[in-house]
């Protein structure tokens, strides 16, 4: 699920319905999703050393977006997100002081959007009565060493293996039947957070589907339902299933 598909309570009702429907088909469900819409850009703007005076407002907006969605979802903002916000504040202050940003710091800050959004998502689904559990994508997706990639590319646009991973399969099988994890983020051999490049959530979902030999991969992003193909590339793509609710009524 892309950013626009996880940013409202209406979206989350749809996600819950999709998960329930897939469970009814006997599937175990791994939900991979993005940060809230616009969040990754906001996080990146915190690192703009030329505009550190805008950090305060940026931090406030980031907090407000998550607070609002949490309130709409009827859940607490929660400790995990409070901690992430506190850490972002500290890093932003450090960046303003030092006047430069390493690629590692950039990856760490930009990963916060997915980490916070999935925390809300997993708790919302559990509150709806689903057997749902949060998982850290960085423990599932390890970046591959690439001999000819720059250090920057290895950190900000990493590549992962998509060979079947039986150990991962076993590990997830022992967890709840609905698992919520982050798109966009992975870890390197030293356990540092790395990114898969902007828009990388779909890539994460594809990697995980391949690793887990999933029966099906569904990409829900910026569309009014599930299409037979990417409607931006295939003009004749058909709407297979509309969303269950009327967004206009929300
Ligand atoms: N949140 C990340 C981005 O905005 C990843 C994604 O949306 O797929 O690039
Ligand atoms: Mg996105």
């Amino acid at each position: 699920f892309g950013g626009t598909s996880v940013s409202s309570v209406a979206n989350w009702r749809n996600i819950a319905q999709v998960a329930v429907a897939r469970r009814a088909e006997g599937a175990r469900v791994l939900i991979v999703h993005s940060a809230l819409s616009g969040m990754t850009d906001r996080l990146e703007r915190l690192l703009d050393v030329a505009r550190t005076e805008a950090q305060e407002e940026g931090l406030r907006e980031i907090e407000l977006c998550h607070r609002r969605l949490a309130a709409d979802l009827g859940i607490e903002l929660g400790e995990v997100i409070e901690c992430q916000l506190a850490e972002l504040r500290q890093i932003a202050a450090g960046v303003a002081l030092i006047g430069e940003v390493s690629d590692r710091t950039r990856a760490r800050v930009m990963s916060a959007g997915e980490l916070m959004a999935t925390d809300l998502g997993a708790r919302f689904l559990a509150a709806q009565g689903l057997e749902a559990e949060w998982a850290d994508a960085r423990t599932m997706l390890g970046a591959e060493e690439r001999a000819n990639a720059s250090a920057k590319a290895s950190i900000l646009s990493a590549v992962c293996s998509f060979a079947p991973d039986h150990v991962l399969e076993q590990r997830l099988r022992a967890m709840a039947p609905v698992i919520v994890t982050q798109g966009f983020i992975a870890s390197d051999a030293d356990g540092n957070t790395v990114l898969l490049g902007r828009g990388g959530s779909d890539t994460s979902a594809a990697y995980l589907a391949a690793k887990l030999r999933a029966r099906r991969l569904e990409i829900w992003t910026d569309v009014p339902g599930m299409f037979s193909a990417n409607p931006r590339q295939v003009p004749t793509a058909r709407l297979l299933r509309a969303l269950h609710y009327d967004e206009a009524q929300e």
Side-chain angles (χ1 to χ4, degrees):
F1 292 88
T4 47
S5 319
V6 295
S7 295
S8 71
V9 64
N11 294 150
W12 276 101
R13 285 201 196 111
N14 175 58
I15 294 172
Q17 282 171 340
V18 171
V20 167
R22 297 303 172 267
R23 288 292 298 137
E25 292 163 16
R28 293 180 55 81
V29 181
L30 176 59
I31 295 172
V32 180
H33 73 81
S34 295
L36 306 187
S37 188
M39 196 49 60
T40 311
D41 290 334
R42 281 202 181 92
L43 289 164
E44 191 159 37
R45 281 201 292 271
L46 290 179
L47 302 173
D48 186 346
V49 291
R51 297 193 63 243
T52 51
E53 75 287 350
Q55 280 180 341
E56 228 0 89
E57 198 196 330
L59 284 161
R60 251 199 316 276
E61 276 178 4
I62 290 166
E63 174 166 356
L64 196 63
C65 278
H66 291 92
R67 258 190 209 291
R68 272 206 207 108
L69 181 58
D72 289 351
L73 294 175
I75 57 178
E76 298 284 321
L77 184 68
E79 225 172 283
V80 169
I81 297 178
E82 299 272 16
C83 281
Q84 285 284 344
L85 291 169
E87 190 179 301
L88 286 173
R89 248 170 228 293
Q90 286 181 319
I91 296 176
V95 165
L97 186 68
I98 296 167
E100 62 183 25
V101 186
S102 70
D103 294 326
R104 285 218 181 290
T105 301
R106 188 171 296 277
R108 189 152 151 205
V109 165
M110 289 172 76
S111 70
E114 270 70 9
L115 290 168
M116 292 191 286
T118 51
D119 178 65
L120 287 180
R123 284 188 291 120
F124 172 73
L125 293 179
Q128 302 306 296
L130 273 87
E131 270 183 87
E133 195 173 334
W134 181 91
D136 190 331
R138 293 169 297 186
T139 68
M140 302 190 231
L141 289 181
E144 281 195 324
E145 304 255 355
R146 281 179 297 165
N148 43 12
S150 66
K152 189 188 192 72
S154 304
I155 296 170
L156 301 179
S157 45
V159 167
C160 302
S161 151
F162 46 87
D165 183 340
H166 301 282
V167 176
L168 178 62
E169 221 176 295
Q170 289 307 316
R171 178 152 70 85
L172 298 193
R173 207 172 280 287
M175 292 177 67
V178 177
I179 298 172
V180 178
T181 197
Q182 309 76 45
F184 187 48
I185 69 173
S187 60
D188 67 12
D190 300 322
N192 295 303
T193 302
V194 298
L195 306 178
L196 302 183
R198 293 304 306 269
S201 285
D202 295 356
T203 318
S204 296
Y207 279 141
L208 288 165
K211 276 174 159 323
L212 297 167
R213 297 175 302 161
R215 238 195 283 165
R216 189 196 291 164
L217 166 63
E218 295 181 17
I219 306 272
W220 292 74
T221 189
D222 284 340
V223 290
M226 186 156 74
F227 282 79
S228 57
N230 183 344
R232 288 184 203 86
Q233 281 165 13
V234 183
T236 53
R238 281 175 307 118
L239 181 61
L240 295 176
R241 183 176 156 274
L243 296 185
H244 282 162
Y245 57 83
D246 180 4
E247 259 199 74
Q249 288 174 356
E250 290 292 333

